[in-house]
Amino acid sequence: MNETIDLLHGHRSDRDFTGAPIPEDELAAIIEAGHRTPSHRNGQQITLVVVRDPETRRKIYEVTAGPQPQILTAPVFILVAVDFHKTAQAVRYAGAEQKVHESLEGYTVGAVDAGITLATLSIAARSFGLGAVAIGAIRHDPQPIIDILGLPPLTYPIVGICIGAIGKQANLKPRLPIETYRHDERYDAGRLSDDVIRAFDAEMLAYWQAIGRPDGQTWTQRIHSYSTAVHPETKVVAERQGFINVE
């Protein structure tokens, strides 16, 4: 159809990196792409912390649930942080006191804007032939990330992304039928039937077998493994950072 659509349709989460440095002009262009993403009311309540120092990346690796070896092997780790510290300064300049971070709406705004930024960084990196993979596991215990990277109050480390030259390219992972994703005019809950789930579980098992991963899980097993877990530190640390009503 066109190169952009082909790039998007070919999304892969690459985890095998050569460790080769990223040319400075390419990294700058990737970051600028993130900088230009839309944000709620142009509040720009996202900040990136770009980490290339191997020792700092090792510290991040050591405190991140996983294992996540790509934090060590990718030459660049970028933290995407929700940043209401930035907007609070703007509100103070205007002669008022910020309140949005004290509501679930504020946290949601930050999460949405972070997701847009994350996707943009990934697409921009892949447009240069680089690999990229999101690191959501930093949220399992976010306080060490805050300490390592010196995040101030009213910020939150919501996701990271590893970027680098690809060693072995990841495979294209199956998706549920498009009918379970696209609903026209009204939501149709009947589209995700037990038969559809059963068929997709079988497709996932066949995928794992085909790439030599007999230990791979079905979709439902994977969903069960994280949807029944609780990470109490998320709320505790969010409140400590100033997000006081995130339930």
Side-chain angles (χ1 to χ4, degrees):
M1 188 171 290
N2 63 56
E3 289 183 3
T4 302
I5 292 296
D6 289 344
L7 182 67
L8 292 166
H9 286 187
H11 171 80
R12 292 165 169 81
S13 294
D14 286 296
R15 295 176 172 83
D16 189 329
F17 298 101
T18 66
I22 299 174
E24 188 61 39
D25 60 335
E26 293 184 7
L27 180 59
I30 292 165
I31 293 168
E32 178 63 18
H35 190 210
R36 300 302 305 177
T37 56
S39 60
H40 182 64
R41 298 193 176 186
N42 197 32
Q44 302 175 63
Q45 45 271 328
I46 296 296
T47 290
L48 305 182
V49 181
V50 182
V51 181
R52 287 182 281 189
D53 178 68
E55 183 56 32
T56 305
R57 286 190 285 112
R58 176 166 292 282
K59 290 178 181 178
I60 293 170
Y61 165 78
E62 290 172 349
V63 300
T64 300
Q68 306 284 347
Q70 56 270 28
I71 297 174
L72 298 175
T73 58
V76 175
F77 172 88
I78 301 176
L79 175 73
V80 181
V82 175
D83 190 352
F84 283 105
H85 173 79
K86 181 192 300 182
T87 56
Q89 293 182 75
V91 174
R92 282 197 299 273
Y93 182 84
E97 183 180 354
Q98 179 173 269
K99 296 292 185 183
V100 67
H101 61 274
E102 297 179 1
S103 69
L104 181 59
E105 168 64 9
Y107 192 83
T108 303
V109 163
V112 170
D113 289 354
I116 295 170
T117 302
L118 174 71
T120 301
L121 294 172
S122 176
I123 295 164
R126 293 176 56 238
S127 76
F128 285 109
L130 300 169
V133 61
I135 306 292
I138 61 169
R139 294 189 304 274
H140 292 192
D141 188 11
Q143 187 61 54
I145 301 294
I146 291 169
D147 296 339
I148 292 167
L149 300 181
L151 301 187
L154 303 185
T155 63
Y156 195 81
I158 202 158
V159 70
I161 181 170
C162 294
I163 297 173
I166 301 168
K168 180 181 179 182
Q169 187 175 57
N171 293 279
L172 198 63
K173 194 171 289 184
R175 294 292 191 265
L176 284 163
I178 192 69
E179 294 79 12
T180 68
Y181 179 76
R182 174 180 173 171
H183 298 250
D184 291 308
E185 312 304 337
R186 291 178 61 85
Y187 191 102
D188 181 1
R191 292 186 179 184
L192 189 62
S193 65
D194 285 355
D195 286 343
V196 171
I197 293 173
R198 188 178 304 109
F200 189 62
D201 272 355
E203 185 179 358
M204 283 302 305
L205 283 180
Y207 164 81
W208 292 122
Q209 291 287 340
I211 66 171
R213 284 280 309 278
D215 60 327
Q217 295 178 309
T218 66
W219 180 66
T220 53
Q221 287 170 336
R222 182 67 171 167
I223 295 298
H224 176 272
S225 67
Y226 79 79
S227 295
T228 55
V230 176
H231 302 292
E233 283 300 303
T234 300
K235 181 174 184 295
V236 172
V237 176
E239 289 185 344
R240 190 181 298 145
Q241 287 295 100
F243 299 88
I244 61 176
N245 291 301
V246 296
E247 291 184 295

